[in-house]
Amino acid sequence: MKKIILPISILAIIVAIYEQSKPNKNVYIMSVCILVFMFGMMRLSAKTPSKKDDNSDENNYDKTI
């Protein structure tokens, strides 16, 4: 899934940048590209573990012993 989301997000940003460079910008295309990019980044970052969660698990384990 990660291999699909990353290229789609990159393609959405390239299309948004290209659309931004045109004299007559289409707001709908830009909005869809930004939404696709944000959704892709949300999906990719959801799999990244948090440092805070790791530390709290270790601290809770130490307190119970």
Side-chain angles (χ1 to χ4, degrees):
M1 189 71 160
K2 184 177 174 181
K3 293 180 182 180
I4 296 171
I5 293 174
L6 190 60
I8 290 174
S9 297
I10 292 171
L11 182 66
I13 288 302
I14 290 170
V15 170
I17 290 172
Y18 174 73
E19 190 67 30
Q20 183 71 27
S21 68
K22 293 166 78 176
N24 296 330
K25 300 165 183 71
N26 191 342
V27 177
Y28 297 114
I29 292 175
M30 300 247 329
S31 299
V32 168
C33 288
I34 291 172
L35 286 174
V36 168
F37 176 73
M38 294 302 285
F39 178 74
M41 289 298 108
M42 179 186 70
R43 297 279 294 187
L44 288 173
S45 67
K47 297 180 187 250
T48 306
S50 174
K51 287 183 180 180
K52 205 175 250 189
D53 291 341
D54 292 339
N55 292 337
S56 65
D57 289 341
E58 291 173 4
N59 291 338
N60 290 337
Y61 180 73
D62 291 339
K63 290 179 183 177
T64 58
I65 293 179

